[in-house]
Amino acid sequence: MDRITLRALAVLLVGLLAGCATAIRPVNPPITQADPRSGYRFEVRDARAAAATRENLVILAFSGGGTRAAAFSYGALEYMRNTRIENSRGQSVRLLDSIDFISGVSGGSFTALAYGLYGEKLFDDYETRFLKRDVQGEIVSRALSPANWGALSSTAWGRSELAAQLYDEILFNGATYADLDRAGGPTISVVTTDLTTGSRFVFNQAYFDIICSDLGPVPLSRAASASSAVPVVLSSVTINNYGGTCGQQLPPWAAKFIDDPDPPRPAARAIRTLRSALEFSDGANRPFLHLVDGGVADNIGVRGALDTLEISEALRHVGAKTPLDHVKRVVVIVVNSLSEPPTTWDRSESPPGPLATMLKAAGTPIDRNSFETVESLRDTAARWRMLRQLRESKAMAGNSDPALARMLSGPDAEIYTIDVSFSALADRKEREYLNQQPTTFVLPPEAVDRLRAAAGKVIQSSPEFARLLKDLDARVVEGSKAGPAAASRAPAP
C-alpha cells in the first residue's frame, strides 16, 4: 500500500473517530414539579405585559415551505416594520410593535424564532445569514463529509441533529428558550408533529409540562430543526419524555369539558387537541418522542389560535371567564406561502413517477387542511359577529330570557383574518413566478426579494386589513410604507 493511500485512510479514520466522539444527542432536562405560573408560555408572558389593559390581540401565523416560507414571512415583518398607522386622535403606532404572538411552522419557524430572539437586529443581516444562503447545500455537504459519518451512523443522532448544528452556527448562536424569554419580544410558538400519533407538539412550556421537562435550556436550533424535519429527507428529532413524574395539572378551563362525552360544540375540536396532547404524559411507556415537520399536523400554524377562540366561546356559553374577556379585536395575519406549481401530468397517458407521486400525495392533504383551517377561522369570526348582533338586538328589545341569553352568549371580540398568500396577488405573472418556487432551503436571491416584496403588497391590498383600519378609525401614515429594498437601507420609523 503506497504512502498516499495510507495517508488517505488515516484521514478517513480520524474523521470517523471525530464523528463518533460528537454523536451526543442534546437531552432536554426533567422537572420535578410543573408550575403553570412560570416558564415560556403566552399566559405568563402576557401577564407581565399588563395585558388586561390591551384591547387588541395581534397574532401572526407563518406557514411551512422552506426558504420560500422564511422569505415570505420576513417580507410581512418588513412591511409591518415600515408601516405606521394613525387614528383620528393623532395616536400612531408601527404595525410591528403591535404583535403579541407568532406561530411558526417549518420554514416559517426560522423567521419567527429569529425575530423573537433578535428583534430589530434581525433586519440587519437575516438575508445574508439565512435567506440568501445555500443552507440546503451546506447540510448535504456536512452529511457527505467523512468527519460526520460516525455520528450519522449512531441510532441516536441523525441528519436533523446535523442540521440543528448548522442552524445554531449560522443563525441562533447557541441561544435557548431562556434567552428567547429574556429577549422580551412577542411569544413565539414553534409547531412540530409527533411521528407516532400525528398530533401537534408545540415548543412552549405548557406542552413541556405534559412531558415534565424544562423548555428553558432547549436550544432554539433544535426546535427549528424539528419543525422542518421533512419525513424521509431528514431524520426525526428525539426528545426525552418524563411525563407523569411532575404533578402536571389540567388547565382550569379543561376541567369544565374534558370529562364531558359531548362537550359544547365550539370546544369539541379543542378538547380533542387537548386529549391528544395528554397522550404525551405517559412517559413510562413512551420515554421518547420523535418529532418531524410541523406541516404534517398544521402547516399554517393557526390551529392553536383557533383552539383558543373556540374554548373562549365555549366558556362564555357556560358563564365562565375567558382569556379574551378584555379583548375587543383579535387580528390573525396568516402568512401562507403555499405554492401550487403547475404540472403537465394530465396531458400524458403515462402517470408521474414514484417520487413525484409520493410528494404530491403527501402535499395535497396538507394543502387542503390549511384551507379548511383558515375557513374555520373565518366561520368563527362570522359566528361571533352574528351572535353579537343578536345579543345587541335582543338587549335593545328588552328581552331578558335567561335561556335565550345563554344560547346567544359568546365573546364580544371582533375577529379579523388577514390572508397573506400568493393567490391574493393581483399580478398574475408574479403569482405564477412565486408558485414555481420549490420547497427547499435554497432559492435564487431574486426569488427571495420578490417573495419579500409580495408579502407587503398583499397586506396593503387586503380587504380585511382595510376593514380593520376602518373599525379602528385609523389610516396608514403617508410615507411610512417601504418595500424590502428600501427597508434594508432605511432606519426603522
Side-chain angles (χ1 to χ4, degrees), residues 123-450:
F123 302 102
D124 295 337
D125 57 8
Y126 189 53
E127 289 177 65
T128 55
R129 292 181 72 176
F130 191 78
L131 293 180
K132 294 182 178 178
R133 187 172 189 146
D134 185 0
V135 176
Q136 185 165 299
E138 291 186 49
I139 294 174
V140 171
S141 177
R142 292 190 179 203
L144 295 177
S145 170
N148 293 312
W149 290 351
L152 289 172
S153 68
S154 169
T155 57
W157 202 89
R159 295 180 298 281
S160 287
E161 299 294 350
L162 190 74
Q165 284 186 344
L166 175 65
Y167 305 151
D168 201 60
E169 293 172 17
I170 68 176
L171 186 59
F172 297 116
N173 300 324
T176 65
Y177 270 87
D179 297 312
L180 187 65
D181 196 10
R182 284 190 289 269
T187 301
I188 309 300
S189 175
V190 172
V191 180
T192 69
T193 303
D194 172 48
L195 185 59
T196 300
T197 64
S199 301
R200 279 189 310 143
F201 185 91
V202 183
F203 275 71
N204 61 37
Q205 189 56 53
Y207 268 77
F208 269 65
D209 278 354
I210 296 173
I211 64 170
C212 294
S213 181
D214 184 3
L215 178 64
V218 174
L220 302 184
S221 57
R222 290 204 88 213
S225 185
S227 187
S228 58
V230 178
V232 181
V233 177
L234 290 166
S235 61
S236 59
V237 170
T238 301
I239 61 174
N240 287 38
N241 182 7
Y242 315 99
T245 63
C246 63
Q248 189 268 339
Q249 300 291 321
L250 290 175
W253 61 264
K256 297 180 180 295
F257 307 124
I258 194 69
D259 294 325
D260 189 341
D262 185 25
R265 202 47 242 159
R269 282 176 297 198
I271 291 297
R272 184 179 64 182
T273 300
L274 176 63
R275 287 172 177 157
S276 296
L278 290 177
E279 292 178 4
F280 299 132
S281 65
D282 187 10
N285 290 309
R286 300 185 63 192
F288 304 101
L289 300 180
H290 305 287
L291 308 177
V292 296
D293 196 311
V296 176
D298 179 12
N299 195 45
I300 54 175
V302 173
R303 186 67 250 177
L306 189 55
D307 285 349
T308 299
L309 296 177
E310 291 173 343
I311 288 296
S312 295
E313 183 176 348
L315 287 171
R316 287 296 292 268
H317 281 323
V318 298
K321 291 183 178 181
T322 84
L324 301 180
D325 283 344
H326 61 283
V327 175
K328 291 185 177 180
R329 303 169 194 88
V330 179
V331 183
V332 185
I333 303 176
V334 183
V335 186
N336 185 4
S337 69
L338 167 67
S339 67
E340 298 176 331
T343 70
T344 59
W345 296 346
D346 296 339
R347 298 178 187 175
S348 171
E349 182 180 4
S350 301
L355 179 59
T357 301
M358 182 182 70
L359 293 174
K360 191 67 174 176
T364 299
I366 289 175
D367 299 343
R368 294 290 179 266
N369 288 339
S370 298
F371 173 80
E372 292 299 331
T373 302
V374 173
E375 289 305 300
S376 294
L377 189 58
R378 288 173 171 151
D379 288 344
T380 300
R383 186 171 63 252
W384 285 20
R385 193 175 307 121
M386 180 189 69
L387 289 172
R388 187 169 59 252
Q389 291 169 350
L390 287 172
R391 286 196 301 273
E392 291 171 356
S393 65
K394 295 300 179 184
M396 291 177 63
N399 192 317
S400 58
D401 182 356
L404 181 60
R406 191 164 50 251
M407 184 173 64
L408 297 179
S409 64
D412 294 322
E414 179 74 17
I415 302 173
Y416 302 82
T417 305
I418 300 175
D419 179 20
V420 185
S421 59
F422 300 159
S423 61
L425 277 170
D427 188 329
R428 179 180 60 82
K429 290 186 177 180
E430 194 66 6
R431 285 200 311 271
E432 291 175 351
Y433 175 81
L434 298 183
N435 268 320
Q436 291 171 1
Q437 302 310 310
T439 303
T440 62
F441 274 108
V442 56
L443 288 178
E446 179 191 2
V448 170
D449 289 338
R450 289 171 72 167

Side-chain angles (χ1 to χ4, degrees), residues 18-37:
C20 289
T22 58
I24 301 174
R25 173 179 63 84
V27 175
N28 48 298
I31 56 175
T32 56
Q33 183 63 50
D35 181 3
R37 299 164 299 178

